[in-house]
């Protein structure tokens, strides 16, 4: 059957069971939009292309499926770049389709031409410039395979307009695996046995869970492993929810803003089991002081990550789910009462310190109060997305996620403006679940135009803005690194966010005092449609603990007074 290449792309998307695409039309991509007309695939028109990339990302993370976004050539494609880099940093499976100028114009600096494949080489797992229409079926199939297998990641397909318009015979290629593309799933048996021996002889074992646990759907295996060997579990930001935070073996997030007791446990363990984790600098602090007394087992599907940042003793390349299953075959139930007693002592000795900053009164609304009340009212059962900044760290500390794919945040790139469009994608992917976006006044203003997208599609997203009228995390960094020379961080003019919601015909609420928190938040969570809750919090509030640059993670500052460590 002869159809246009654009129609073939739509048919291939349907074969890949794509239900929704996020995009913004333009001249070069117009044939594909015409082919989407009347099809079952839902198209979500975002208000800016970066929103399409972040929404596809949130969709992928909430559902486990490949997220798809579309944009035209030139500025449409370049507006996707931050979202693509964000997905690459966090290993999120996405297929990005961009339009390109006519084949004969490529390289001529034509109107809205840009070398998007060249631009995105460093931030995609793979990308294509399609030169022959008959290659499209194989390329599309290949893109989905590459994006979703091995270590997941974004794949870009750049298609010239004339290629999209070319009539082809749509084939269904069967063998699309690229030559030499063979991700390793099964770990080396000898290395697994060696790891098992190290775990069985450990007195203070600790599991370090990374985002790979969620990517490989290994949460059940992680729970079984932890309970079998009675080892506490620490999480990276990307793996929050992979292990139930309510579980007695859970120690929460480690790293620069991790609880003191969590970081101290890492420092004192004698065997550290790193599962699907990159050992990035935000988690490790000063590398030489990271788990100094531990034998380190590192499991990751990407061999390039083994030993890249932190020394290892036992490397295992493979899918973390498959490796844990095999590892369990070589383990026996173990007890570590003295180690768990020590963990409990650390929790009692180093609790998260919650007290007002100098210049803040208890009568003021504090950020952690909002997060703790949200946790109480949702019972930790909502899908939470966050932007980047202080609110992100408070959410990681105080919102206790118990299920995978329910805490969605920008990790590697740290992208402000990510949280709200990611919530749009998550809500469309999981329409029956409550989705809450926790953001700051700075981050929300980077993508607040997507509120129109939420209103158009009647998405019941609840947006909680921790509003301190400034770029709080930058101000905090200036306090410690710039001798309190605050510059470029204060918002002297910003919208009334509750009224902003009203401009779209949606509900907006404001909370200024702790006494208003429960009644207003309860009403907001039960209000249909998208809702904004503007929470005015103290502008002097810092996120603690805080590990300063060059320090070990057990040297965290826990109070505003410089050098007051605990």
């Amino acid at each position: 059957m002869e159809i246009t290449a654009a129609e073939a792309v739509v048919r291939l998307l349907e074969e890949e069971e794509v239900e929704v695409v996020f995009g913004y039309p333009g001249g070069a991509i117009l044939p594909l939009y015409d082919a989407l007309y009347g099809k079952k695939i839902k198209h979500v028109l975002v208000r800016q292309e970066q929103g399409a990339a972040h929404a596809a990302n949130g969709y992928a993370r909430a559902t486990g499926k490949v997220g798809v976004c579309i944009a035209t050539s030139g500025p449409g494609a370049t507006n996707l770049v931050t979202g693509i880099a964000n997905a690459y940093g966090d290993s999120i499976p996405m297929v990005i389709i961009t339009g390109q100028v006519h084949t004969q114009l490529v390289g001529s600096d034509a109107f809205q031409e840009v070398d998007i494949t060249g631009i995105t080489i460093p931030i995609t797992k793979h990308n294509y410039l399609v030169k022959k229409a008959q290659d499209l079926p194989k390329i599309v199939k290949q893109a989905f395979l590459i994006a979703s297998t091995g270590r997941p990641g974004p794949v870009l397909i750049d298609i010239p307009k004339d290629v999209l318009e070319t009539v082809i015979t749509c084939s269904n290629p069967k063998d699309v695996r690229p030559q030499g593309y063979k991700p390793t799933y099964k770990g080396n048996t000898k290395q697994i046995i060696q790891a098992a021996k190290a775990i069985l002889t450990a007195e203070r074992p600790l599991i370090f869970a990374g985002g790979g646990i969620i990517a490989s759907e290994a949460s059940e295996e992680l729970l079984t492993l932890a309970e079998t060997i009675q080892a506490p579990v620490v999480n990276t930001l990307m793996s929050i929810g992979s292990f139930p935070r309510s579980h007695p073996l859970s120690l929460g997030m480690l790293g620069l803003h991790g609880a003191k007791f969590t970081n101290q446990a890492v420092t004192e363990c004698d065997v550290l089991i790193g599962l699907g984790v990159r050992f990035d600098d935000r988690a490790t602090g000063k590398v030489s002081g990271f788990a100094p007394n531990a034998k380190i087992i590192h499991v990751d599907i990407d061999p390039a990550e083994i030993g890249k940042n932190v020394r290892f003793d036992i490397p295992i390349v493979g899918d973390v789910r498959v490796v844990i299953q095999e590892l369990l075959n070589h383990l026996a139930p173990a007890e570590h009462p003295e180690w768990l007693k020590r963990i409990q002592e650390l929790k009692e000795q180093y609790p998260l310190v919650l007290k007002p900053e100098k210049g803040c009164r208890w009568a003021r609304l504090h950020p952690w109060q909002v997060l703790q009340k949200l946790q109480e009212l949702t019972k930790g059962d909502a899908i939470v997305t966050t932007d980047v900044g202080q609110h992100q760290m408070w959410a990681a500390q105080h919102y206790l996620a118990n299920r995978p794919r329910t805490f969605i945040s920008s990790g590697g790139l740290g992208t402000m403006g990510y949280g709200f469009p990611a919530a749009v994608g998550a809500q469309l992917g999981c329409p029956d679940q409550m989705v809450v976006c926790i953001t700051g006044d700075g981050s929300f203003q980077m993508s607040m135009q997507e509120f129109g997208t939420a209103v158009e599609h009647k998405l019941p997203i609840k947006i909680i803005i921790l509003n301190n009228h400034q770029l709080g995390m930058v101000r905090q960094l200036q306090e410690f690194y710039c001798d309190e020379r605050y510059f470029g961080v204060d918002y002297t003019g910003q919208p009334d966010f509750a009224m902003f919601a009203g401009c779209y015909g949606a509900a907006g609420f404001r909370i200024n005092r702790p006494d208003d928190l429960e009644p207003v938040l309860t009403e907001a969570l039960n209000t249909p449609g998208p809702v904004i809750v503007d929470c005015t919090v103290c502008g002097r509030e810092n996120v603690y603990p805080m590990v300063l640059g060059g320090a070990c993670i057990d040297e965290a500052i826990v109070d505003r007074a410089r050098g007051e460590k605990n």
Side-chain angles (χ1 to χ4, degrees):
M1 179 180 178
E2 291 192 336
I3 55 176
T4 66
E7 291 171 324
V9 171
V10 174
R11 181 173 297 184
L12 291 161
L13 293 178
E14 290 174 337
E15 289 178 4
E16 293 294 333
E17 299 182 351
V18 173
E19 297 174 337
V20 58
V21 297
F22 305 88
Y24 203 100
I29 199 67
L30 209 57
L32 182 57
Y33 268 78
D34 191 38
L36 281 167
Y37 180 80
K39 299 300 190 297
K40 291 188 296 184
I41 296 175
K42 181 182 182 68
H43 175 266
V44 176
L45 175 64
V46 297
R47 272 43 181 178
Q48 203 257 20
E49 290 90 352
Q50 187 176 146
H54 291 329
N57 184 307
Y59 177 91
R61 291 184 62 176
T63 65
K65 302 175 183 177
V66 177
V68 180
C69 60
I70 303 173
T72 195
S73 63
T78 56
N79 278 344
L80 293 173
V81 169
T82 297
I84 296 171
N86 186 76
Y88 185 74
D90 290 342
S91 303
I92 307 304
M94 286 171 50
V95 169
I96 302 100
I97 301 173
T98 53
Q100 184 55 276
V101 300
H102 194 286
T103 303
Q104 293 180 346
L105 295 176
V106 172
S108 71
D109 293 329
F111 176 68
Q112 290 193 335
E113 181 200 358
V114 70
D115 179 11
I116 194 62
T117 53
I119 289 171
T120 60
I121 284 173
I123 55 171
T124 52
K125 190 175 177 184
H126 194 60
N127 67 21
Y128 304 85
L129 171 60
V130 183
K131 298 179 180 179
K132 298 178 180 179
Q134 56 266 33
D135 293 339
L136 256 176
K138 182 176 181 179
I139 286 174
V140 173
K141 289 279 188 182
Q142 205 170 76
F144 276 86
L145 174 72
I146 293 172
S148 60
T149 56
R151 178 178 179 174
V155 178
L156 180 138
I157 309 172
D158 193 36
I159 315 174
K161 184 176 182 181
D162 59 306
V163 171
L164 286 169
E165 293 172 331
T166 301
V167 175
I168 64 171
T169 300
C170 187
S171 59
N172 189 8
K174 292 180 173 56
D175 184 14
V176 298
R177 187 174 297 274
Q179 187 175 0
Y181 181 70
K182 296 179 180 178
T184 300
Y185 286 88
K186 184 174 169 39
N188 181 279
T189 301
K190 290 184 179 179
Q191 296 294 91
I192 291 174
I193 292 173
Q194 187 179 352
K197 289 180 179 178
I199 293 169
L200 288 170
T201 56
E203 295 181 358
R204 300 183 302 278
L206 188 70
I207 296 173
F208 180 17
I213 294 290
I214 294 176
S216 65
E217 308 288 354
S219 293
E220 290 187 12
E221 286 77 8
L222 173 62
L223 179 61
T224 301
L225 175 64
E227 291 181 339
T228 298
I229 64 174
Q230 285 296 290
V233 178
V234 299
N235 291 93
T236 63
L237 179 74
M238 287 297 295
S239 74
I240 290 176
S242 65
F243 190 80
R245 189 63 185 88
S246 58
H247 196 286
L249 289 173
S250 174
L251 299 186
M253 184 182 71
L254 84 165
L256 270 59
H257 292 291
K260 173 69 174 177
F261 61 80
T262 305
N263 290 343
Q264 190 63 34
V266 175
T267 303
E268 295 185 15
C269 72
D270 64 356
V271 171
L272 184 69
I273 309 163
L275 301 173
V277 64
R278 297 187 297 117
F279 288 94
D280 71 281
D281 59 300
R282 304 292 290 184
T284 65
K286 185 178 179 180
V287 171
S288 61
F290 181 77
N293 305 311
K295 179 176 288 188
I296 297 179
I297 301 166
H298 190 181
V299 181
D300 202 278
I301 198 166
D302 185 354
E305 292 297 341
I306 304 290
K308 185 175 78 174
N309 296 322
V310 170
R311 65 176 177 83
F312 63 84
D313 295 284
I314 305 173
I316 303 174
V317 177
D319 179 83
V320 68
R321 183 167 180 259
V322 175
V323 171
I324 295 175
Q325 289 173 342
E326 179 63 21
L327 184 61
L328 286 167
N329 293 331
H330 300 279
L331 293 173
E335 300 287 341
H336 301 99
E338 292 301 316
W339 176 225
L340 296 184
K341 180 181 177 182
R342 174 57 180 159
I343 294 294
Q344 186 58 38
E345 291 174 354
L346 290 173
K347 288 182 177 180
E348 294 172 0
Q349 185 177 358
Y350 304 119
L352 281 173
V353 178
L354 302 179
K355 59 183 180 180
E357 296 287 2
K358 182 179 179 181
C360 288
R361 303 182 304 276
W362 277 117
R364 294 292 298 273
L365 184 64
H366 296 277
W368 69 81
Q369 294 173 319
V370 180
L371 276 305
Q372 290 176 343
K373 183 56 65 174
L374 180 66
Q375 161 76 27
E376 176 187 328
L377 295 176
T378 64
K379 298 180 174 57
D381 198 39
I383 294 176
V384 166
T385 71
T386 85
D387 273 291
V388 171
Q390 288 180 314
H391 65 273
Q392 178 190 35
M393 294 297 101
W394 281 313
Q397 290 175 343
H398 299 289
Y399 190 85
L400 309 183
N402 286 314
R403 295 184 292 112
R405 303 195 180 280
T406 60
F407 190 91
I408 298 172
S409 190
S410 173
L413 198 64
T415 307
M416 291 177 66
Y418 167 81
F420 181 41
V424 169
Q427 188 72 83
L428 282 160
C430 304
D432 297 328
Q433 294 194 50
M434 175 179 286
V435 175
V436 179
C437 172
I438 299 168
T439 185
D441 47 308
S443 286
F444 184 61
Q445 289 183 83
M446 286 195 170
S447 58
M448 61 195 289
Q449 70 275 359
E450 299 306 331
F451 196 74
T453 308
V455 170
E456 177 185 348
H457 294 275
K458 299 180 175 61
L459 303 178
I461 300 167
K462 313 309 175 192
I463 304 159
I464 313 296
I465 302 175
L466 300 184
N467 188 353
N468 56 14
H469 295 272
Q470 59 187 259
L471 300 175
M473 186 60 85
V474 181
R475 184 207 56 77
Q476 179 170 338
L477 295 174
Q478 288 178 342
E479 176 182 331
F480 285 93
Y481 295 113
C482 303
D483 291 327
E484 300 185 16
R485 293 186 297 275
Y486 302 123
F487 182 76
V489 294
D490 292 314
Y491 282 119
T492 56
Q494 64 181 14
D496 182 316
F497 294 114
M499 289 184 66
F500 171 78
C503 290
Y504 281 90
F509 298 85
R510 187 176 296 103
I511 303 176
N512 297 317
R513 302 181 304 119
D515 290 346
D516 296 332
L517 185 57
E518 182 165 354
V520 175
L521 199 55
T522 299
E523 183 180 357
L525 293 175
N526 288 286
T527 298
V531 173
I532 291 178
V533 184
D534 185 8
C535 303
T536 302
V537 297
C538 180
R540 296 284 292 170
E541 211 75 64
N542 281 343
V543 180
Y544 292 116
M546 178 186 182
V547 178
L548 296 179
C552 300
I553 60 171
D554 64 340
E555 298 175 327
I557 292 174
V558 297
D559 191 85
R560 190 179 190 86
R562 302 291 182 83
E564 184 174 333
K565 301 176 183 178
N566 206 342

